């Protein structure tokens, strides 16, 4: 005998018991969210049957209106008795097995995370505060219910109806039921504290607040007027949708309680039929109980939900965009596979992408807003440059960097190029850990002298992106740690007076350089004088054909067996420190102090480049040096 044919008692899984216990025994600010959760489930069930009807014409009640009905039952005025709220839909329905599986275990990811969090900090009262805000799915009904009966009949003709009964205690029952029409009815016997949910006016308010944009009509009592929006908001003329309405739609759709950074609503009829209402969320990270947990937009065809998370329309570097895309041109008998590959999808995707990029450019007019945007999503674009070569041209103008001349502000490549002196042909960048330390990079010495701007690559993703940058407006990108770097002559350069410290004599310098190489051995490729350094004693440059510093830094982040790259060490013969070192060396070619100082010079240079595996290793040496200085 199957469970559909007899009564069966089951015990809830331990985690559900725990959840039920909290829902029943704590006090919540907003118990009304259970209505939202049940309507959301009804809407999901309607979407599913609607989608199924596109391909399968054998469903039960094919002509039934797709809708959601709320009715209340209460005793006559002055009489005692129970109050019931009934929420009915004509959705996909559930068999007895479905009931056991879907309502006996936790499906909703929000509820699962909620419990995980509870186990971690065990603070019920704190969690009780947030539960009202977030979706915990079906079980939230027990915030208001003394008893719940879910009567359902699957859309599949061969199945019979069943009812699931629970009072929120340990066990629940499943019995055969008498229901001939398709869909689900949830009968809720209201607890006395929750009697307000038997009030139609109250229900109407809740629907306006939480479920106004549900794509199917919601009816209350015997009223023929639907209680939610008549027309889906994305199919309404953009000019007729207020900012308030689209924000409210966003929040009901995502349960993100922050306002989106921007919303993009547009429609076209030719060459493509397209209605889209898209959003850029304020934060990249979704909150713990966010409703939409995966990337992708909702794809509709004539108001029918085809795909909940469609990632084929927008490239990965725009995957943070959320919202709805609806096109009547999509074939109604679409399967999910054909959606992915069709030419139409590519056309739709291109149109949407163009529009989103335009909107992001528009956002850039407001520097503050764009700063917030870039802090959240800059990395997506950098990843895009690195991985999506076809989109490079489109992404590069969107990139923002700090630079030696941007004064703490973000700058665009266009702005950089417009500031380039005529003799400058390349776009220069320097890689480092953060803005402050990079500003002292020895590589910048010659650029400061010549007044040439250098972009600061200070984000881990900059290093990831650097090799793929290639060029912008025919100007190649150049890492300034490049050994072969030749700098353009500039006006600023010819004006600088030659009042530098006299250089260490050549012979003395050569002897020092040999000693330095001897001390450092294989850790440096070469030791040589620098032509470019001004204020810094040393710098490390990449030998030709070696992976550049950007790539090495990246390795430091991702690679456990990171090996410090072997670089050329350049010494500045005009720097006081190098001059003193040369004198020490001349006085005592075997000086142990010279060895210590040289080791420290290399380590300092590695730190400066963001290449040192563990700077704390330097401390004993620094102490030894301090001891020697102090004893003088
Ligand atoms: P979620 O909606 O996130 O999956 P819920 O706890 O809200 O989690 O619902 C659990 C499951 O119960 C749903 O995934 C669905 O399979 C089933 N379900 C709930 N309500 C209905 C309904 N009205 N019609 C059909 N199935 C439903
Ligand atoms: Mg749900």
């Amino acid at each position: 005998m199957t469970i559909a044919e007899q009564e069966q008692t089951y015990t809830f899984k331990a985690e559900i018991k725990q959840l039920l216990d909290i829902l029943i025994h704590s006090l919540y600010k907003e118990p009304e969210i259970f209505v939202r959760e049940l309507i959301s489930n009804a809407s999901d069930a309607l979407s599913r049957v609607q989608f199924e009807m596109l391909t399968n014409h054998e469903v039960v009640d094919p002509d039934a209106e797709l809708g959601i009905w709320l009715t209340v039952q209460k005793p006559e005025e002055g009489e005692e008795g129970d109050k019931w709220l009934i929420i009915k839909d004509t959705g996909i329905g559930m068999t007895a097995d479905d009931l056991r599986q879907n309502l006996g275990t936790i499906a909703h990811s929000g509820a699962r995370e909620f419990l995980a969090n509870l186990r971690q900090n065990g603070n019920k009262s704190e969690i009780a505060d947030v539960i009202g805000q977030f979706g915990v799915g079906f079980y939230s009904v027990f915030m208001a219910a003394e008893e719940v009966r879910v009567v359902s009949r699957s859309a599949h003709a061969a199945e019979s109806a069943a009812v699931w009964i629970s009072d929120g205690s340990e066990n629940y029952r499943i019995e055969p039921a008498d229901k001939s029409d398709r869909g689900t009815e949830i009968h809720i016997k209201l607890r006395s504290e929750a009697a307000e949910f038997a009030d139609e006016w109250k229900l109407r308010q809740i629907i306006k607040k939480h479920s106004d944009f549900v794509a199917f009509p919601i009816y209350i009592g015997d009223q023929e007027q639907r209680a939610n929006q008549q027309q889906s908001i994305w199919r309404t003329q953009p000019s007729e949708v207020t900012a308030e309405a689209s924000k409210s739609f966003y929040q009901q759709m995502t349960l993100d309680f922050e306002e989106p950074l921007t919303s993009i609503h547009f429609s076209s009829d030719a060459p493509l039929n397209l209605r889209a209402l898209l959003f850029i969320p304020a934060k990249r990270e979704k909150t713990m109980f966010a409703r939409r947990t995966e990337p992708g937009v909702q794809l509709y065809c004539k108001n029918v939900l085809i795909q909940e998370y469609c990632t084929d329309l927008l490239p990965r570097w725009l995957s943070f965009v959320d919202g709805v895309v609806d096109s009547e041109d999509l074939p109604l008998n679409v399967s999910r596979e054909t959606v992915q590959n069709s030419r139409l999808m590519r056309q739709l995707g291109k149109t949407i992408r163009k529009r989103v990029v335009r909107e992001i450019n528009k956002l850039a007019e407001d520097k503050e807003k764009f700063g917030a945007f870039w802090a959240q999503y800059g990395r997506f674009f950098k990843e895009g440059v690195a991985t999506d070569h076809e989109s490079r041209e489109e992404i590069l103008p969107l990139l923002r960097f700090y630079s030696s001349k941007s004064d703490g502000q973000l700058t665009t490549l266009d702005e950089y190029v417009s500031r380039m002196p005529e003799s400058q042909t390349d776009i220069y960048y320097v890689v480092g850990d953060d803005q402050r330390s990079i500003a002292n990079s020895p590589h910048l010495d010659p650029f400061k002298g010549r007044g040439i701007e250098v972009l600061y690559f200070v984000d881990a993703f900059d290093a990831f992106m650097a090799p793929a940058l290639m060029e912008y407006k025919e100007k190649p990108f150049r890492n300034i740690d490049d050994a072969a770097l030749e700098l353009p002559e500039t006006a600023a350069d010819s004006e600088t007076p030659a009042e530098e410290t006299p250089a260490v004599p050549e012979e003395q310098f050569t002897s020092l350089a040999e000693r330095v190489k001897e001390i450092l051995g294989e850790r440096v490729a070469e030791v040589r004088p620098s032509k470019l350094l001004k204020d810094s004693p040393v710098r490390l440059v990449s030998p030709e054909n070696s992976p550049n510093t950007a790539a090495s830094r990246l390795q430091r982040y991702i690679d456990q067996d990171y090996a410090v790259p072997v670089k050329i060490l350049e010494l500045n013969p005009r720097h006081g420190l190098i001059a003193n070192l040369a004198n020490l060396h001349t006085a005592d070619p075997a000086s142990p102090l010279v060895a210590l100082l040289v080791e420290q010079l290399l380590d300092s240079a590695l730190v400066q480049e963001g290449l040192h595996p563990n700077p704390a290793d330097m401390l004993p040496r620094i102490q030894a040096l301090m001891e020697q200085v102090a004893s003088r």
Side-chain angles (χ1 to χ4, degrees):
M1 230 194 283
T2 69
I3 49 175
E5 289 153 19
Q6 61 160 176
E7 179 183 329
Q8 288 269 0
T9 301
Y10 302 89
T11 307
F12 280 117
K13 291 257 158 62
E15 50 178 4
I16 299 181
K17 264 190 284 186
Q18 203 183 355
L19 181 60
L20 288 174
D21 180 60
I22 300 163
L23 291 167
I24 294 168
H25 294 111
S26 313
L27 282 171
Y28 303 105
K29 290 205 177 103
E30 282 193 292
E32 68 188 38
I33 59 114
F34 86 87
V35 178
R36 172 191 79 195
E37 293 298 320
L38 296 186
I39 289 178
S40 148
N41 285 349
S43 169
D44 291 347
L46 288 160
S47 284
R48 286 176 58 197
V49 80
Q50 191 180 35
F51 189 79
E52 183 145 341
M53 282 194 288
L54 299 177
T55 46
N56 170 12
H57 302 284
E58 306 281 279
V59 302
V60 175
D61 294 342
D63 301 324
E65 178 182 1
L66 296 170
I68 301 166
W69 290 263
L70 274 62
T71 47
V72 295
Q73 283 173 6
K74 42 188 175 184
E76 297 288 319
E77 282 286 341
E79 274 177 43
E80 294 282 302
D82 298 323
K83 290 183 174 173
W84 290 79
L85 166 64
I86 299 146
I87 299 181
K88 170 184 147 81
D89 65 65
T90 45
I92 191 88
M94 285 177 276
T95 64
D97 276 326
D98 292 338
L99 283 166
R100 188 168 51 85
Q101 254 161 34
N102 298 336
L103 307 183
T105 51
I106 289 189
H108 192 85
S109 57
R112 222 176 298 123
E113 293 217 32
F114 169 80
L115 281 170
N117 192 281
L118 180 75
R119 249 173 251 130
Q120 235 172 32
N121 44 28
N123 187 346
K124 280 191 194 176
S125 62
E126 215 171 82
I127 287 189
D129 272 349
V130 296
I131 198 175
Q133 256 178 53
F134 301 108
V136 287
F138 171 77
Y139 300 103
S140 61
V141 70
F142 286 102
M143 290 194 288
E146 198 173 298
E147 183 186 305
V148 179
R149 294 168 164 261
V150 181
V151 190
S152 197
R153 162 110 201 234
S154 162
H156 304 134
E159 306 286 353
S160 45
V163 54
W164 177 100
I165 305 166
S166 164
D167 60 3
S169 62
E170 218 150 309
N171 302 321
Y172 64 92
R173 283 193 336 262
I174 294 178
E175 297 172 13
D178 204 15
K179 176 170 167 59
S180 55
D181 54 339
R182 180 191 74 214
T184 303
E185 283 174 30
I186 302 183
H187 295 247
I188 303 150
K189 183 171 167 189
L190 295 167
R191 303 213 302 242
S192 55
E193 318 90 87
E196 56 180 334
F197 299 109
D199 177 348
E200 291 188 1
W201 185 79
K202 170 82 183 174
L203 293 172
R204 195 170 300 281
Q205 270 188 321
I206 296 172
I207 287 167
K208 266 285 161 226
K209 182 165 167 204
H210 295 293
S211 312
D212 202 22
F213 303 103
V214 166
F216 302 93
I218 304 172
Y219 302 100
I220 298 177
D222 47 18
Q223 304 224 3
E224 278 167 30
Q225 272 274 18
R226 52 192 283 184
N228 57 332
Q229 293 269 339
Q230 300 289 327
Q231 193 183 18
S232 45
I233 184 168
W234 61 88
R235 297 184 69 87
T236 308
Q237 273 302 317
S239 58
E240 282 163 28
V241 175
T242 64
E244 197 52 38
S246 89
K247 185 185 101 188
S248 174
F249 169 68
Y250 170 78
Q251 290 179 331
Q252 290 189 17
M253 174 183 76
T254 56
L255 292 190
D256 177 357
F257 282 79
E258 261 189 80
E259 285 186 32
L261 264 180
T262 197
S263 56
I264 309 166
H265 191 177
F266 61 99
S267 66
S268 86
D269 293 304
L272 285 170
N273 174 284
L274 175 61
R275 307 276 179 271
L277 179 50
L278 303 169
F279 301 93
I280 299 178
K283 296 272 157 61
R284 175 180 66 226
E285 302 288 342
K286 311 255 174 177
T287 60
M288 178 159 118
F289 299 112
R291 171 103 74 199
R292 288 181 57 74
T293 47
E294 285 173 43
V297 296
Q298 289 182 296
L299 181 64
Y300 280 85
C301 167
K302 297 196 184 80
N303 257 345
V304 179
L305 181 63
I306 306 289
Q307 222 178 341
E308 179 76 36
Y309 297 103
C310 176
T311 50
D312 302 310
L313 283 170
L314 286 168
R316 261 174 68 110
W317 47 274
L318 290 175
S319 59
F320 54 85
V321 174
D322 204 347
V324 176
V325 171
D326 189 330
S327 172
E328 295 187 0
D329 293 337
L330 286 167
L332 250 182
N333 62 349
V334 282
S335 71
R336 286 178 170 90
E337 294 71 49
T338 57
V339 166
Q340 270 171 27
N341 301 319
S342 74
R343 209 171 70 100
L344 176 72
M345 282 292 283
R346 279 199 299 281
Q347 279 178 306
L348 275 175
K350 193 170 153 202
T351 311
I352 297 164
R353 190 183 76 237
K354 286 234 148 82
R355 183 58 191 247
V356 171
V357 167
R358 205 169 92 198
E359 232 32 69
I360 292 172
N361 277 315
K362 225 195 262 158
L363 202 64
E365 289 163 18
D366 181 340
K367 280 228 181 311
E368 200 176 313
K369 218 169 174 187
F370 194 84
F373 168 78
W374 193 251
Q376 291 297 322
Y377 302 110
R379 296 183 161 193
F380 283 77
F381 298 92
K382 293 170 186 177
E383 195 198 308
V385 170
T387 57
D388 180 357
H389 298 286
E390 279 172 35
S391 301
R392 218 170 50 94
E393 295 295 306
E394 213 167 353
I395 302 175
L396 288 187
L398 296 171
L399 295 181
R400 296 293 187 279
F401 301 98
Y402 295 106
S403 85
S404 58
K405 284 193 176 174
S406 74
D407 216 6
Q409 303 284 314
L410 289 165
T411 187
T412 65
L413 291 175
D414 269 332
E415 286 162 351
Y416 177 94
V417 168
S418 73
R419 286 191 289 261
M420 281 168 59
E422 220 168 292
S423 56
Q424 184 183 345
T425 51
D426 297 359
I427 297 173
Y428 297 109
Y429 65 88
V430 59
V431 177
D433 277 341
D434 54 71
Q435 272 198 79
R436 221 161 8 130
S437 67
I438 215 171
N440 296 320
S441 168
H443 300 302
L444 284 173
D445 279 9
F447 291 85
K448 284 177 185 157
R450 287 171 174 77
I452 297 173
E453 183 172 7
V454 179
L455 299 174
Y456 291 169
F457 280 18
V458 287
D459 182 299
F461 281 71
D462 290 338
F464 180 52
M465 163 190 69
L469 277 171
M470 319 290 277
E471 55 174 49
Y472 182 66
K473 299 208 165 149
E474 289 165 24
K475 305 196 168 26
F477 284 86
R478 289 289 289 272
N479 187 338
I480 63 169
D481 84 340
D482 186 337
L485 199 68
E486 301 250 344
L487 289 182
E489 293 295 327
T490 64
D493 185 40
S494 46
E495 275 164 22
T496 37
E499 40 131 276
E500 297 141 343
T501 338
V504 175
E506 206 174 311
E507 213 172 306
Q508 199 189 5
F509 184 90
T510 311
S511 167
L512 174 68
E514 277 167 12
R515 173 86 177 113
V516 171
K517 174 68 178 138
E518 195 183 293
I519 294 166
L520 298 177
E522 297 303 305
R523 287 176 288 163
V524 291
E526 188 188 335
V527 177
R528 67 182 193 197
S530 163
K531 286 184 265 190
L532 296 174
L533 287 177
K534 279 212 159 88
D535 303 325
S536 313
V538 298
R539 70 166 181 162
L540 289 169
V541 297
S542 300
E544 255 171 273
N545 303 327
S546 71
N548 66 18
T549 313
S552 305
R553 287 183 76 251
L554 188 64
Q555 228 142 43
R556 200 188 87 200
Y557 284 109
I558 58 179
D559 195 354
Q560 293 187 321
D561 313 316
Y562 163 75
V564 178
V566 176
K567 304 245 172 199
I568 299 170
L569 180 67
E570 287 192 351
L571 307 179
N572 179 359
R574 289 194 164 74
H575 196 279
L577 175 52
I578 301 301
N580 289 347
L581 197 61
N583 290 337
L584 260 181
H585 170 66
T586 312
D588 175 9
S591 165
L593 182 58
V594 168
L596 273 184
L597 288 167
V598 167
E599 291 281 353
Q600 186 56 42
L601 271 177
L602 175 64
D603 270 2
S604 302
L606 285 171
V607 171
Q608 178 73 60
E609 296 289 322
L611 292 172
H612 203 296
N614 187 7
D617 288 349
M618 308 186 313
L619 296 181
R621 184 192 311 117
I622 292 177
Q623 249 172 46
L625 284 168
M626 286 163 75
E627 212 174 303
Q628 297 215 24
V629 174
S631 70
R632 274 170 199 234

